[in-house]
Amino acid sequence: CVYNTNMATSPTHKRLSLFLSLPPSLPLYNLCRSLSISEDLRAQKTMEESQELALTQLRTSVEKLSSSTEGYEKPTLMRFLVARSMNPDKAAKMFVDCQKWRASMVPPNGIPDSEVRDELEFGKICLHGPTKSGHPLVLVLCSKHFPAKNAVNFKKFVVYVLDKTIASGIKEKEVGDEKLVAVFDLANITYKNLDARGLITSFQFLQSYYPERLAKCYMLHMPGFFVSVWRFVCRFLEKSTQEKIVIVTDGEEEIKFKEEIGVDALPEEYRGRAKLTLIQDVLLPKTAPEITKPRAISARVKMSLQESAPSLAVVGVTGAVGQEFLSVLTDRDFPYSSVKMLASKRSAGKRVAFDGREYTVEELTAESFDGVDIALFSAGGSISKAFGPLAAERGTIVVDNSSAFRMVDGVPLVIPEVNPEAMRGIKVGSGKGALIANPNCSTIICLMAVTPLHRHAKVKRMVVSTYQAASGAGAAAMEELVQQTREVLAGRPPTCNIFGQQYAFNMFSHNAPITENGYNEEEVKLVKETRKIWNDTEVKVTATCIRVPVMRAHAESVNLQFENPLAENTARELLKKAPGVYIIDDRTSNTFPTPLDVSNKDDVAVGRIRRDVSQDGNYGLDIFVCGDQIRKGAALNAVQIAEMLL
């Protein structure tokens, strides 16, 4: 008897249905059931074989990515496969990215309460369970949540909550496929509690670093004004995540919600039997996997939109760095009373979003700076030379990201972690305007790592080779790299408008103009700026700058010669303590900094820390440094300078 879905209305189907409805004592019924069970067993065996094959391919792919799945059992690896539709290569990349992320984000024993104390004090997260499905229940009281004052600490808090929730569902030994149930209670939420960025961060962490950990998510008491916010958040959610989210809107859904959670897990406030328990009051064994910790970035300025705060202007707001200015200002909760979005006449009239509001871009004029306390410039050297002094004359303190004023006497060239004293006496409220220069991106990334060593042993000579990403040439260069990559892969001639030559799958000497002595201007900047920032005209510096087909974040190989001996282990300890720097230096697994590790991150990563064997004793050292060119190499450094003006 053969059956398929196309026979649903056929006589054969009707006869088969009749046979299956007959009493179990009849031989034909038993035969059909046996056939069905055998087919199920064959299907199950085939599925298990497919899973084993996919797991084997996943492990092989992970090894090709210079990592290992050793110590991770089948349930853990299956989560990554399921999250990537059983594609072993994609699952392997996700697995390796996750391990790198944990190594850079989370201490070996997990994030302690002490590191997220400010967030815990709000009493907004409760931990209960198990639910009827056997999962731990994390309850978020959204009316007690406020947008984070410190983006990095908020991310740590998200990890703290997820790790602790998952750990609470582990029975004796972690299996690897433990899941959680989340409830977001939006009762009594107001506009001041709105935090779309926080929601997006939480869900993106779940999707990227905790794949298939979410069993279900319930949204309770959603007010009408929050619907548009939720629609925006959903743009960042994968389809599989959205399918697990239930918005409870009526009585029937509320009854179903309570039935699925179970009265034993629900707090009394939700008509359950459990006592409301804050997550910090739940004691658990330490279950976090072993990982390494980066240095935390420097303290943030406390912020709110307030009348007493300085007025801001962002010049070149539609460019790559201009957009990053807005992102960093938001992330660091920079205090402001008003903000002007300024750009060229061509961009005037465009709309840009900042801190939950939309602004119209204005054409840059001399009058644009009337009443402006701080102006962040990133519109190119010619614009800075034309408008920077005019703004300063009107009492505005200009933080300029171009090369226009870097080597001008009397203009501070500042990296806040390196030479904050250079801008001593310049403050908002003094009634005086000023010019402050942001160093070149390569200089910032290099000196963030080298300065702690220089202070200890004094650098005599420094040889730097840079490998610079498309982001250093602006948004248009980044777009052209993507376009060229598609064209080359399709067998078409690449479009070469920015660099005049193929960039995709190629590398070449930095596109800056060549000077008479053979150095290009990018290399000259690194030499001269290092001497000015260190206030040391005797230090010898040479550089070779290369453009590589990386979207974002620069890499630099740095060779150092010291006046005083500096042992390799001492250097490592100095770098561990340096603000804005963290170490990725695992020789066993051949894991060192990459541009991907630092993309969209504030800190600079350092690795390949080793004694220079070409020099006698401990007078030479080699290191490899990576940093986000747009972030620390430009926008973040400028905003940190602005913070020092307050």
Side-chain angles (χ1 to χ4, degrees):
C1 184
V2 180
Y3 175 80
N4 62 55
T5 54
N6 294 325
M7 298 165 56
T9 59
S10 68
T12 306
H13 166 76
K14 294 176 181 177
R15 288 195 294 273
L16 180 59
S17 299
L18 175 61
F19 290 145
L20 293 177
S21 66
L22 292 174
S25 59
L26 296 180
L28 182 57
Y29 176 88
N30 292 334
L31 172 62
C32 290
R33 282 188 58 84
S34 298
L35 288 171
S36 176
I37 293 169
S38 297
E39 185 62 31
D40 289 343
L41 290 173
R42 281 195 294 271
Q44 182 178 349
K45 185 178 180 182
T46 301
M47 184 177 70
E48 290 175 352
E49 290 173 350
S50 298
Q51 287 183 359
E52 290 302 325
L53 177 60
L55 286 167
T56 300
Q57 292 173 338
L58 166 63
R59 293 185 180 100
T60 302
S61 296
V62 169
E63 290 176 1
K64 289 180 180 178
L65 294 172
S66 302
S67 189
S68 171
T69 59
E70 185 178 354
Y72 294 91
E73 301 298 331
K74 177 179 176 179
T76 299
L77 301 180
M78 279 302 301
R79 287 193 294 106
F80 288 88
L81 280 167
V82 171
R84 288 298 174 261
S85 303
M86 299 303 290
N87 184 309
D89 290 335
K90 291 182 179 179
K93 184 180 184 305
M94 186 184 196
F95 177 85
V96 172
D97 288 345
C98 181
Q99 301 315 303
K100 288 182 178 180
W101 167 80
R102 287 201 70 95
S104 67
M105 182 80 183
V106 193
N109 293 319
I111 293 174
D113 291 20
S114 59
E115 287 200 25
V116 291
R117 187 173 289 114
D118 290 346
E119 293 286 350
L120 290 173
E121 284 179 357
F122 287 106
K124 57 190 174 185
I125 306 292
C126 299
L127 184 56
H128 290 260
T131 63
K132 272 191 176 180
S133 55
H135 306 311
L137 172 69
V138 59
L139 171 63
V140 183
L141 305 174
C142 295
S143 63
K144 295 186 177 183
H145 171 76
F146 297 89
K149 297 180 175 64
N150 183 321
V152 172
N153 273 4
F154 178 73
K155 291 176 182 178
K156 288 184 178 180
F157 181 65
V158 172
V159 174
Y160 168 90
V161 171
L162 292 175
D163 279 357
K164 192 162 187 177
T165 302
I166 292 166
S168 71
I170 294 172
K171 304 294 187 293
E172 296 181 358
K173 182 181 178 182
E174 182 175 5
V175 176
D177 59 357
E178 293 82 4
K179 296 180 182 290
L180 63 90
V181 173
V183 174
F184 287 84
D185 186 354
L186 298 163
N188 301 317
I189 191 173
T190 64
Y191 283 103
K192 67 181 179 181
N193 302 111
L194 285 182
D195 187 14
R197 183 183 294 271
L199 267 175
I200 292 167
T201 296
S202 302
F203 279 112
Q204 285 184 332
F205 272 32
L206 263 171
Q207 292 173 164
S208 300
Y209 309 125
Y210 298 83
E212 296 301 309
R213 288 291 200 187
L214 181 64
K216 213 156 193 178
C217 176
Y218 298 90
M219 310 292 289
L220 306 182
H221 309 126
M222 182 180 287
F225 76 86
F226 193 82
V227 173
S228 59
V229 177
W230 180 245
R231 286 175 183 160
F232 172 74
V233 171
C234 284
R235 292 166 55 188
F236 298 86
L237 305 187
E238 297 173 358
K239 183 180 178 181
S240 59
T241 302
Q242 293 188 39
E243 290 172 348
K244 297 171 184 174
I245 298 172
V246 178
I247 299 177
V248 180
T249 57
D250 58 30
E252 287 186 12
E253 290 175 345
E254 187 174 349
I255 292 171
K256 187 176 180 182
F257 156 71
K258 291 175 182 176
E259 288 177 350
E260 290 178 351
I261 298 296
V263 294
D264 291 332
L266 273 176
E268 294 173 347
E269 289 79 354
Y270 299 85
R271 299 180 184 178
R273 297 173 184 164
K275 295 289 184 182
L276 199 65
T277 306
L278 295 176
I279 191 168
Q280 59 265 38
D281 295 334
V282 177
L283 299 179
L284 296 172
K286 295 179 180 179
T287 56
E290 280 201 13
I291 40 208
T292 59
K293 173 188 176 185
R295 287 288 304 170
I297 60 177
S298 54
R300 300 322 198 225
V301 175
K302 187 176 181 178
M303 140 34 167
S304 64
L305 178 58
Q306 50 187 298
E307 292 183 5
S308 60
S311 54
L312 303 179
V314 178
V315 180
V317 70
T318 57
V321 176
Q323 287 293 294
E324 199 69 22
F325 277 150
L326 301 184
S327 176
V328 175
L329 287 167
T330 302
D331 288 348
R332 296 176 71 85
D333 295 325
F334 190 90
Y336 68 98
S337 58
S338 64
V339 59
K340 290 184 178 181
M341 306 298 182
L342 304 174
S344 65
K345 184 177 182 179
R346 185 179 65 255
S347 297
K350 290 183 177 180
R351 304 283 289 176
V352 295
F354 171 62
D355 202 20
R357 298 173 178 83
E358 274 203 346
Y359 295 82
T360 301
V361 177
E362 303 174 32
E363 181 183 355
L364 174 64
T365 67
E367 289 71 34
S368 299
F369 302 100
D370 290 341
V372 172
D373 295 312
I374 301 172
L376 303 176
F377 272 63
S378 188
S382 60
I383 297 296
S384 293
K385 288 178 181 178
F387 289 94
L390 290 176
E393 288 173 6
R394 283 174 157 77
T396 301
I397 300 176
V398 174
V399 183
D400 180 45
N401 191 56
S402 79
S403 60
F405 309 110
R406 288 174 186 159
M407 300 313 299
V408 174
D409 289 341
V411 176
L413 183 64
V414 179
I415 305 173
E417 295 91 342
V418 175
N419 63 330
E421 69 283 352
M423 51 182 287
R424 187 181 294 116
I426 303 176
K427 290 288 182 182
V428 168
S430 66
K432 296 180 180 179
L435 295 171
I436 302 172
N438 215 31
N440 188 40
C441 51
S442 298
T443 307
I444 294 173
I445 292 166
C446 177
L447 297 193
M448 283 291 293
V450 176
T451 300
L453 310 179
H454 173 62
R455 287 172 177 160
H456 185 87
K458 189 168 174 50
V459 173
K460 286 178 59 178
R461 183 171 185 265
M462 180 168 69
V463 182
V464 185
S465 298
T466 71
Y467 310 93
Q468 298 182 220
S471 55
M478 298 169 74
E479 291 170 5
E480 185 165 289
L481 175 57
V482 174
Q483 181 181 358
Q484 282 193 10
T485 301
R486 290 174 177 156
E487 291 169 342
V488 172
L489 289 174
R492 301 194 302 269
T495 302
C496 302
N497 296 326
I498 306 300
F499 298 115
Q501 59 182 307
Q502 182 176 324
Y503 189 17
F505 307 101
N506 193 22
M507 58 189 291
F508 45 80
S509 179
H510 194 281
N511 49 292
I514 303 294
T515 63
E516 290 183 2
N517 63 4
Y519 282 75
N520 64 44
E521 289 183 0
E522 187 80 0
E523 294 156 353
V524 172
K525 290 175 188 176
L526 209 156
V527 173
K528 291 184 176 180
E529 291 176 18
T530 297
R531 291 172 176 166
K532 180 172 180 177
I533 292 167
W534 280 355
N535 193 25
D536 184 352
T537 58
E538 301 300 319
V539 64
K540 297 177 180 179
V541 181
T542 185
T544 301
C545 296
I546 303 297
R547 187 72 75 183
V548 296
V550 170
M551 187 60 66
R552 180 168 175 152
H554 293 349
E556 303 183 20
S557 171
V558 186
N559 175 264
L560 300 166
Q561 182 180 359
F562 301 102
E563 283 191 8
N564 304 306
L566 178 61
E568 179 184 303
N569 289 336
T570 303
R572 189 172 280 104
E573 289 303 312
L574 291 169
L575 291 168
K576 282 181 180 178
K577 298 175 183 177
V581 175
Y582 71 102
I583 294 175
I584 303 177
D585 196 60
D586 188 341
R587 296 177 182 178
T588 303
S589 64
N590 200 13
T591 301
F592 304 103
T594 71
L596 287 177
D597 291 321
V598 296
S599 290
N600 293 295
K601 295 181 181 175
D602 290 348
D603 293 355
V604 170
V606 187
R608 298 302 312 279
I609 304 165
R610 63 202 189 279
R611 186 178 73 84
D612 178 0
V613 296
S614 71
Q615 299 186 53
D616 295 332
N618 289 322
Y619 288 89
L621 202 68
D622 284 297
I623 60 174
F624 188 70
V625 188
C626 287
D628 189 309
Q629 174 275 331
I630 303 180
R631 198 115 179 140
K632 181 55 185 173
L636 172 63
N637 199 78
V639 173
Q640 286 177 310
I641 291 172
E643 288 174 348
M644 294 170 62
L645 299 171
L646 304 180

